Amino acid sequence: MYARRGYTKGNTMRSKLLLFVLIAVLAVSCKNKNNRYGSTTSITDTQRLQLEIEGGWTLITGTGETESWFFSDARSGRYLRFKTENEVTAGTWSVRDRDIFLEDESPRAVQIDGTILKIGNYRLQRDTLIHTKVQRLLRRELVGTWVSDDSIMVYEFMPNNYYQYRYTDEPDVPADGDWRIQGMRLIMDNKTQRADPITFSGNQMNWGMMTFYREGERPDLSLSDAYVSNADTKLTGNSFQADLGRFGIVDIVPYQQEQRQKFELVIKLEEKGRSVYTLPDFPGNVLGEFDGLRTIAARDVSGDDVNDILVMTDYLEDTGSRLKPITVNAVYTNLGRSFRLDSELTTLLSNNKEVRSIADMIVIAREQRPRARQVVNSNTKTKRINKSGSSRNYKKYANDKSVCRIRIAAVKGEVDQTKVDKLSDLGILSFEPADNGYTYVYLGKYISKYTAYKVLDRVKARGYKSAFVVVEENFINKADTETPSYSTYQVASLKKLNLESLNALDDNFRSDIYVTYGDGYYRLSMGLYQKQLYPYIEEEFRNTAARLGYGNGYSRVVN
């Protein structure tokens, strides 16, 4: 009896002790929250309002004019306003006590009523398409070469989401990586925690706390001679356009530059007059002085169906007692996102006296270089390796969460719709005209490289051998604990991919169609949004899917 009572008493004491500890922990937690935020209720309301403000809006006016607004995440605190993509106003924003503070403006009362955002006397309508416009605008502005305000750092951002940077005092030691834009943040190598917002004002870029200027556009900008010349001469007669795979159709522009008290050859890739990439240092520059460019061409010599760059030049070699005329013939191999000088092949072609034309270079180069194949030792089979990255080993991308498209072709003049319509079952077709007279034809939006490369194989099987995957964004990154979840509205799960009916949708909906592949099924969905879908957006997608015969759609989390 005594032992039983003692057992009960001991358990009662332990229960009281545990209860006391739990109450103490909760009290400390509440105190810390109140010390940090003042009150948990007010911070929750503010955060909720900020999350609802984030994204795209269209200004409602009585004149019929439209103006687009885009608010980045509250942590970045940046916004854009633009009527056209050439008239952009940028600034900072924040919310405090139901007021919104816009840069250089007095605070205004802010309120959200359904899909209407009220900022003072402004009335804005939620517009999910603004996000796409902002991504396109920032990407267009970013591509090119940028020099830091102190003239120390140089960044080259290329259209294929590849970048290089170097210090002006070490121009021959560049570093590289991948870039993407999420909201208004520039993310380098998927390091979202270190990403800073970017805004542009003419030829000036504000990147976080740093200021950059487009190469050669800052007044009185003085750079090291090791980086750029003060007397560049564009060799216009040797400039031309070419399709360089992932670089797209760009201008190949050679320059004669006066550097280190002599003339040198520098070759750049340009788009709409802007430099997007500079080829590695031409080998003749270390031998002597540039004396003339015979010819330059873009041809495939490595057998991967993507053009490389071949150059024939004259140089004057300083032997000490005289200047000796020499010929330097170089081959730059297209690696997809960059070029590499083939030193061995360059030496062979420069020393061969039988080389008198680009045709001679191509013949010898193809004899010396086997086609791009990789031997699989386990079963002696071979796999084609190409610059789009597809080697039929797309399962290695199973955990990738990039948003990709497939570029089918670059067409000069009018696109033959009957030809590209044959691919309408594999993805949503889109057409993007460029200023150079070409129209880029794209297929789909695919979530993950795994899906994109699987579809790419089917595209190539239908005769489009030069098609390749383009990574649009890579903002869904499971390895990053700060990356929020994304949701989409799934409308169908198909064993055989067929998007012909969805290609008949209006452009507003077509641009929101995504395809994901897994477990033997293609999943078709609409929209890709941070956190959960807004109820009115989900309802809009549900109604659209029902009209197309997809009646069992639902919202699901992508990551």
Side-chain angles (χ1 to χ4, degrees), residues 284 287-288 291 294 313-317 324-328 350:
L287 300 176
D291 193 39
R294 293 189 182 185
T313 64
D314 291 319
Y315 271 76
L316 296 174
E317 183 181 12
K324 175 186 175 183
I326 60 173
T327 299
V328 181
S350 297

Side-chain angles (χ1 to χ4, degrees), residues 296-307:
I296 180 172
R299 299 287 191 276
D300 173 29
V301 296
S302 53
D304 55 7
D305 300 323
V306 181
N307 284 327

Side-chain angles (χ1 to χ4, degrees), residues 448-467:
S448 83
K449 295 178 184 176
Y450 178 45
T451 304
Y453 282 124
K454 185 173 183 65
V455 176
L456 177 65
D457 280 353
R458 297 181 63 180
V459 170
K460 289 191 171 185
R462 296 187 185 183
Y464 294 87
K465 301 298 183 182
S466 60

Side-chain angles (χ1 to χ4, degrees), residues 336-470:
R337 298 187 302 180
S338 62
F339 281 81
R340 175 179 58 82
L341 176 70
D342 190 322
S343 301
E344 183 177 346
L345 192 53
T346 293
T347 300
L348 175 66
L349 294 171
S350 297
N351 293 333
N352 191 327
K353 303 301 181 183
E354 301 298 320
V355 176
R356 297 185 177 88
S357 67
I358 289 292
D360 295 334
M361 291 182 65
I362 294 173
V363 170
I364 295 175
R366 288 178 176 173
E367 290 176 349
Q368 296 295 320
R369 299 174 62 171
R371 295 183 66 83
R373 295 181 180 273
Q374 174 179 324
V375 178
V376 181
N377 294 326
S378 60
N379 55 13
T380 68
K381 293 181 180 179
T382 60
K383 281 199 275 185
R384 173 69 175 273
I385 306 297
N386 58 51
K387 302 217 169 63
S388 68
S390 174
S391 61
R392 295 192 182 276
N393 185 26
Y394 39 69
K395 288 186 178 180
K396 64 183 179 181
Y397 298 120
N399 296 321
D400 175 78
K401 294 296 180 182
S402 304
V403 176
C404 307
R405 292 194 295 169
I406 298 174
R407 202 175 92 182
I408 304 301
V411 181
K412 185 73 170 179
E414 187 176 352
V415 178
D416 187 345
Q417 195 73 33
T418 59
K419 290 184 178 180
V420 295
D421 279 349
K422 297 176 181 179
L423 299 173
S424 62
D425 59 322
L426 300 181
I428 299 297
L429 287 162
S430 59
F431 308 89
E432 297 183 3
D435 293 342
N436 56 16
Y438 283 84
T439 298
Y440 297 120
V441 182
Y442 288 95
L443 192 65
K445 278 187 180 178
Y446 305 97
I447 298 179
S448 83
K449 295 178 184 176
Y450 178 45
T451 304
Y453 282 124
K454 185 173 183 65
V455 176
L456 177 65
D457 280 353
R458 297 181 63 180
V459 170
K460 289 191 171 185
R462 296 187 185 183
Y464 294 87
K465 301 298 183 182
S466 60
F468 58 92
V469 170
V470 177

Side-chain angles (χ1 to χ4, degrees), residues 485-520:
S485 61
Y486 284 76
S487 298
T488 187
Y489 187 80
Q490 182 167 316
V491 299
S493 181
L494 307 173
K495 195 70 175 178
K496 181 180 179 181
L497 184 60
N498 191 339
L499 274 69
E500 289 183 359
S501 60
L502 297 180
N503 263 293
L505 287 171
D506 294 337
D507 288 342
N508 289 347
F509 288 103
R510 284 159 48 88
S511 62
D512 268 340
I513 302 297
Y514 293 84
V515 179
T516 312
Y517 182 80
D519 301 324

Side-chain angles (χ1 to χ4, degrees), residues 136-277:
R136 183 171 62 242
L137 185 155
L138 293 179
R139 282 178 58 88
R140 184 196 68 190
E141 291 294 326
L142 182 62
V143 169
T145 304
W146 296 87
V147 185
S148 62
D149 189 35
D150 55 10
S151 303
I152 293 177
M153 292 183 292
V154 180
Y155 278 84
E156 288 186 67
F157 294 96
M158 302 162 207
N160 53 15
N161 290 85
Y162 174 72
Y163 77 89
Q164 286 187 336
Y165 80 90
R166 59 186 181 276
Y167 293 94
T168 53
D169 56 350
E170 293 183 336
D172 298 325
V173 190
D176 61 2
D178 296 300
W179 66 271
R180 61 186 171 90
I181 293 176
Q182 177 179 324
M184 292 175 61
R185 290 175 175 270
L186 175 58
I187 298 177
M188 317 285 282
D189 305 313
N190 289 327
K191 297 177 181 178
T192 56
Q193 295 180 5
R194 297 170 57 185
D196 288 313
I198 57 172
T199 56
F200 298 89
S201 177
N203 293 311
Q204 177 180 324
M205 174 174 67
N206 296 314
W207 181 6
M209 300 299 293
M210 298 183 293
T211 300
F212 284 76
Y213 293 89
R214 199 174 292 282
E215 178 186 12
E217 297 295 338
R218 177 185 173 187
D220 301 323
L221 181 63
S222 176
L223 296 178
S224 165
D225 285 342
Y227 163 61
V228 70
S229 166
N230 292 323
D232 296 353
T233 301
K234 180 186 292 189
L235 304 180
T236 307
N238 296 102
S239 303
F240 64 100
Q241 282 190 340
D243 191 337
L244 297 180
R246 294 179 113 184
F247 281 98
I249 297 176
V250 295
D251 296 313
I252 301 177
V253 184
Y255 286 86
Q256 176 179 280
Q257 293 187 349
E258 187 175 356
Q259 299 186 25
R260 295 183 281 268
Q261 298 182 337
K262 65 185 180 68
F263 290 121
E264 296 186 352
L265 175 64
V266 174
I267 303 172
K268 297 184 179 183
L269 307 184
E270 297 182 354
E271 187 174 39
K272 299 179 183 178
R274 298 177 180 176
S275 174
V276 296
Y277 183 78

